[in-house]
Amino acid sequence: MINMLFSEYNFHENWAKDVVGKYINFSDRILIIPFSFSEKISSDDKWQKSYSKSNGKYYESIVIPFKNYGIKEENINWINYFKDAKEDAKVKIRNSDIILLTGGLPDKMMSRIKEFDLIEDIESFRGIIIGSSAGAMVQVSEYHITPDADYDTFSYNSGLNIINNFDIEVHYEGTELENKYIKKVLEEKKDKIYAITNSGGIVVDNGNIILLGNTITFSN
């Protein structure tokens, strides 16, 4: 398995494309799993207004990196939380080369992955898993949430059992608050944290870690 962790959907930009481009082929079949949405998206109609090609406000930003790597839109599939059955979702994963886990709320993403019984399907996936923000965080077996506009308090949370040897801080800006909680996690849980800025990322290629762009290493 190859894992890619980013803060944004911008892994087609100059700081990333030379490395990422070695892994993505124009014929790859992409599956978007947008399970990280808030309660504001409470129906298929609202889901369509967020993610559909016709009028989804997030659609273009999510597909643009893949289009930049030459992938046609007909090769990009989605799991619709409100319409797809569990077995449909499992089939879509099996038929994909690359999975993208979207940004948003990581705890919501994990609860919906569990609800659809997809944990084993994703953990045993043999292709590439790309995550932006929340989608990067949940690839860490025990990730932390730093307080922000969405979360009032710091917390440790269970993610997918994929990455065990480090933690990440996404959207890193070098603030006192971020550094405080990075220090806390280093003291309590992990020997290494990668702070991923909005123009940074990590590729984990069968255990080999490649840092991209503006990504800062914190370690004990």
Side-chain angles (χ1 to χ4, degrees):
M1 183 192 291
I2 293 161
N3 301 88
M4 299 187 184
L5 315 173
F6 303 103
S7 286
E8 302 278 358
Y9 306 116
N10 57 358
F11 47 90
H12 57 296
E13 293 179 358
N14 287 339
W15 54 266
K17 68 179 183 181
D18 286 349
V19 172
V20 175
K22 294 173 184 173
Y23 294 93
I24 298 180
N25 299 305
F26 71 92
S27 59
D28 283 338
R29 296 160 299 174
I30 314 299
L31 177 63
I32 314 294
I33 306 182
F35 275 7
S36 51
F37 54 85
S38 73
E39 276 90 359
K40 290 177 184 174
I41 299 176
S42 56
S43 64
D44 179 57
D45 180 58
K46 290 180 178 177
W47 190 96
Q48 298 293 338
K49 287 175 181 172
S50 295
Y51 301 116
S52 72
K53 183 177 179 178
S54 56
N55 64 342
K57 65 178 178 178
Y58 304 121
Y59 177 86
E60 196 59 36
S61 64
I62 292 172
V63 302
I64 200 166
F66 298 112
K67 288 163 72 173
N68 269 266
Y69 288 110
I71 292 167
K72 293 183 169 60
E73 284 179 85
E74 54 261 37
N75 274 7
I76 302 175
N77 205 349
W78 300 69
I79 294 178
N80 182 331
Y81 174 80
F82 297 97
K83 293 184 81 172
D84 282 322
K86 290 179 184 179
E87 192 50 48
D88 296 331
K90 289 175 179 290
V91 169
K92 287 182 178 182
I93 290 173
R94 286 198 295 272
N95 290 338
S96 300
D97 302 299
I98 297 174
I99 290 171
L100 176 80
L101 303 173
T102 56
L105 305 176
D107 53 342
K108 297 293 185 189
M109 173 170 278
M110 281 305 302
S111 67
R112 292 177 182 126
I113 288 172
K114 287 176 188 167
E115 183 186 336
F116 270 64
D117 189 30
L118 297 179
I119 288 184
E120 189 178 330
D121 303 80
I122 296 172
E123 289 178 350
S124 61
F125 185 68
R126 296 195 174 274
I128 298 170
I129 299 178
I130 302 174
S132 290
S133 192
M137 293 165 72
V138 299
Q139 294 183 60
V140 177
S141 58
E142 186 179 24
Y143 66 90
H144 73 276
I145 292 175
T146 296
D148 61 10
D150 294 312
Y151 297 95
D152 293 335
T153 57
F154 173 89
S155 62
Y156 291 112
N157 305 269
S158 294
L160 297 159
N161 188 25
I162 295 173
I163 292 170
N164 300 291
N165 55 337
F166 64 83
D167 196 357
I168 61 172
E169 181 79 28
V170 293
H171 303 296
Y172 181 70
E173 296 179 337
T175 66
E176 193 175 322
L177 184 75
E178 289 169 326
N179 291 333
K180 170 187 169 182
Y181 287 110
I182 286 172
K183 185 168 183 264
K184 176 181 173 70
V185 177
L186 286 172
E187 288 172 351
E188 295 176 353
K189 295 285 184 179
K190 292 280 174 36
D191 291 328
K192 189 163 285 184
I193 296 175
Y194 294 111
I196 304 171
T197 69
N198 286 350
S199 57
I202 306 168
V203 175
V204 184
D205 183 347
N206 295 300
N208 182 36
I209 295 169
I210 306 163
L211 302 184
L212 305 175
N214 190 10
T215 301
I216 299 104
T217 305
F218 292 87
S219 58
N220 285 328

